[in-house]
Each structure stands twice: as structure tokens, then as C-alpha cells.
Amino acid sequence: MVTVTTVCSYAALLAYSVSFTAAREPEVEIADLFGDVLFQQGIPQSITCTVFDPLPVGVFTWKVGDRIIENNNRIENIAEDEIQQVLQFTPTLEDSKKPLTCQYGERGEQVCSDYIIMGIYVMDIPSDPITPGLVKDGDPVTLKVTAGLYPAPAPGDILWEVKEPSGEVVVEMSPGGQDMYGMYRAGEIQVLSESDNLYQFSLDIAVLDQKEVSNIHTVTITTKGIKKTVHFNLALKMTQGDEVEGTNEDVNQNPSSVDNNKETKEEEPNAGVLGMEMGLFIIIGIIAVFLILCILYCIYRRKKKSRSKNSKTYTAVKTNTNMHGQPV
């Protein structure tokens, strides 16, 4: 149920009265909002102001504190005795703890109004998982996150958590905390820029190994009762001869299968060389067979020509000649 705050002047009541019938006064209501309302800085807001029993020539006026906000949005008729106007408004830190007021009445004399008190907060926090720099197996690592926050965070507003894949909590701590084994230590809150409301939070992990990589690492930040959680993706740096590390499949892989994979990779280049040698040998063989066939064909043609020449028949023709050697 929405609480309506309506303020009307005594002069207005007299103006809307007649000698025999008392006219009803306008009723102003900021829709769906009342009391103290939280807004995030820089996020555009749409505020709707509704007036019941409006005046024939009434106007809307919007204010933040004593500052008038220009609003060119048109007035809409919702029903016969109901109108409304929407304000597009982007809050800033300077508006914090100030009233946002919707006033309605005749020009120059706003007679009825409703208001809310704005509480402005800043919560600029990374939405994507953070991947720290790669480190070798067994080396320490520090998880860090930078956030824009207002009001300034207290240690109780920051919660680091490390959980196993099953969901069992390994450790949870606030800035300045440390576990009994010295594996985890949450650094104090670092103020990077007070004017820009920038802060940094960190968690030191003494040893990063495969088991630690498989854990779930998060930090939850609370501002004005609003919580946001940042996740971290951890991985180990590869060393020469190692397989890719940082996944559950690698952790559970059988060492013998790793050796078999390495042997297979080593054998692959030899198989390629053998294939090339075999292909070259086949090509040379084809060329040699072709040359032999060509030689045999040439020999065959030569013998055939020789046989044809020897089988030819020559016929002698006798010619009579006289004593002078001339044919008769």
C-alpha cells in the first residue's frame, strides 16, 4: 500500500470552494515510491507523479531540494479525474539526503505536493570474473578487486570466501583476517582515491596448487544493504613438458595415459617421414617402369623394321640389246 503525502494551503481550499458546493482538492502522489528511497548514482530513473481531481489549468513542478528540475514530458490523461507526468532523472551524489518533490497547482502557486527522500549510493563493481596473473605450482598468489563505493566501506561490508567444489566452506574472513594455518590472509581496505570513492580489497593465498585451483574463490561487497559478489578464475602457469593445468580433468588424469599421449606425439613425426619416403619410392618406381617400357618398345620397332626389309622380293627383267648396247 502506498502512503500519500499531500500538502495543500488554506488559500487553495478557499479558492476551490463555492457558496453551495465544496470542490474537492487535488491529490498528488509519487507512484510506487514513498519515504526514503535508494538510487544508484548515474543510473537513469523514471519517476511518475499522479494527480487525482486535477485543476482546469494546473501545472506540474519538480524539485530536488530547492532546485527546480526542467521537465518537458507531456501531461497524460489517465482517466476523467486523473492525470500524470513522468520525470526522467539521473541522480548524483550531490542529491543524497535531499527531497525529490512533485508539486501541482496553478502557475505561481503550487498548492499540493508529494515527495520522497533520496539516498544515493555508488557501487561500481566488476561484473565479470577476475583472472589473476598465472603463477607456478606451489607459489603464492594475491587476489585483488577495485571498486567504486559510497558510502565508504567498513570491514564488515567485505566478505572473502573459499569453498570446495562440493560447496563446503574452507574459509571466510573480512579485511584484516587470517586463518589459523597462515594459508589465507585478507588485506586491510586500501583507499585508492577518496574523492573518486575508489577502494581495493585483497586476499593472499600462501600456496597455489591443483587442489586450490579447483576451489571457488569469491568476495561479497555490501553497500546500503545491497550485495554483489565477484568471482575469481585461478590457473597455474605451464612449465616445459607439463600439460595444461588448472582444470578438473587434468587433476584426475591418469599419469600412464599422459605418458602414452607423449609417446604418441613423439611417434607422429616418424610416421610422417615414413609416409613421405614411401611416396617418393613409388614415384621413382613408376618412372623406372615407364623408361623400361619405352626401351622395350624401341627395340621392338627396330626388329620389326629389320624383318620387313629382309622379306622384300626383287624381280630381274631381261632386256635384249644390239651390238651397240642399245635395247632392241
Side-chain angles (χ1 to χ4, degrees):
M1 181 176 180
V2 178
T3 302
V4 178
T5 304
T6 303
V7 180
C8 293
S9 66
Y10 179 71
L13 294 178
L14 294 177
Y16 307 135
S17 299
V18 293
S19 59
F20 18 83
T21 305
R24 289 183 297 178
E25 64 187 51
E27 185 177 323
V28 181
E29 176 185 311
I30 294 179
D32 302 324
L33 301 173
F34 60 92
D36 294 341
V37 181
L38 282 177
F39 294 112
Q40 185 173 353
Q41 176 182 248
I43 304 299
Q45 306 292 331
S46 294
I47 314 296
T48 301
C49 184
T50 304
V51 175
F52 303 94
D53 300 320
L55 303 173
V57 290
V59 294
F60 284 87
T61 302
W62 294 85
K63 289 185 177 182
V64 172
D66 295 328
R67 185 177 87 252
I68 295 177
I69 302 175
E70 295 295 332
N71 186 15
N72 296 321
N73 290 340
R74 65 188 182 88
I75 299 173
E76 299 179 358
N77 290 310
I78 305 304
E80 183 179 353
D81 58 350
E82 181 180 346
I83 62 174
Q84 71 177 22
Q85 187 182 46
V86 177
L87 172 70
Q88 306 295 336
F89 174 66
T90 301
T92 63
L93 279 181
E94 290 73 17
D95 302 324
S96 187
K97 299 181 180 180
K98 292 181 180 180
L100 172 63
T101 306
C102 172
Q103 297 178 337
Y104 177 80
E106 294 181 351
R107 187 175 299 276
E109 185 181 355
Q110 287 76 28
V111 293
C112 300
S113 66
D114 190 15
Y115 70 93
I116 58 174
I117 301 298
M118 294 187 294
I120 310 300
Y121 70 95
V122 177
M123 203 172 194
D124 296 331
I125 297 175
S127 56
D128 296 329
I130 296 176
T131 301
L134 298 178
V135 299
K136 295 180 180 178
D137 192 352
D139 285 354
V141 66
T142 300
L143 311 183
K144 294 181 179 180
V145 59
T146 300
L149 299 172
Y150 180 86
D157 297 328
I158 312 301
L159 179 64
W160 288 95
E161 289 182 293
V162 179
K163 296 181 180 179
E164 294 182 353
S166 63
E168 183 178 351
V169 177
V170 177
V171 67
E172 11 176 81
M173 61 181 61
S174 295
Q178 182 174 346
D179 72 318
M180 61 184 299
Y181 303 106
M183 276 291 297
Y184 306 95
R185 186 181 70 84
E188 300 288 349
I189 299 175
Q190 301 294 318
V191 181
L192 301 183
S193 174
E194 191 170 357
S195 60
D196 295 329
N197 305 296
L198 283 179
Y199 302 87
Q200 188 176 80
F201 316 104
S202 62
L203 177 70
D204 296 327
I205 302 176
V207 177
L208 185 65
D209 53 17
Q210 290 284 8
K211 185 177 185 303
E212 189 63 44
V213 166
S214 67
N215 288 336
I216 302 169
H217 304 78
T218 62
V219 58
T220 301
I221 302 172
T222 304
T223 295
K224 293 284 190 177
I226 301 171
K227 295 183 179 182
K228 288 188 180 181
T229 300
V230 179
H231 294 261
F232 294 84
N233 290 334
L234 277 64
L236 291 173
K237 181 186 294 184
M238 292 178 59
T239 57
Q240 187 175 2
D242 290 344
E243 296 296 325
V244 177
E245 300 178 345
T247 63
N248 293 334
E249 293 180 358
D250 296 329
V251 174
N252 299 326
Q253 190 175 14
N254 191 335
S256 62
S257 65
V258 176
D259 295 337
N260 293 335
N261 291 337
K262 290 181 179 179
E263 292 176 1
T264 303
K265 291 179 181 179
E266 292 174 356
E267 291 174 358
E268 286 178 356
N270 295 333
V273 173
L274 291 176
M276 293 178 62
E277 292 178 353
M278 183 64 68
L280 184 61
F281 176 76
I282 293 173
I283 293 173
I284 294 174
I286 292 173
I287 295 174
V289 171
F290 177 76
L291 291 176
I292 292 172
L293 291 176
C294 289
I295 293 172
L296 292 176
Y297 179 74
C298 291
I299 294 173
Y300 169 75
R301 290 293 300 273
R302 184 180 296 274
K303 287 182 178 181
K304 186 175 180 181
K305 287 181 180 181
S306 176
R307 289 176 183 174
S308 299
K309 185 177 181 181
N310 294 335
S311 63
K312 287 183 179 180
T313 303
Y314 295 93
T315 303
V317 179
K318 183 176 179 181
T319 304
N320 294 323
T321 59
N322 54 22
M323 57 182 304
H324 297 288
Q326 295 177 343
V328 178

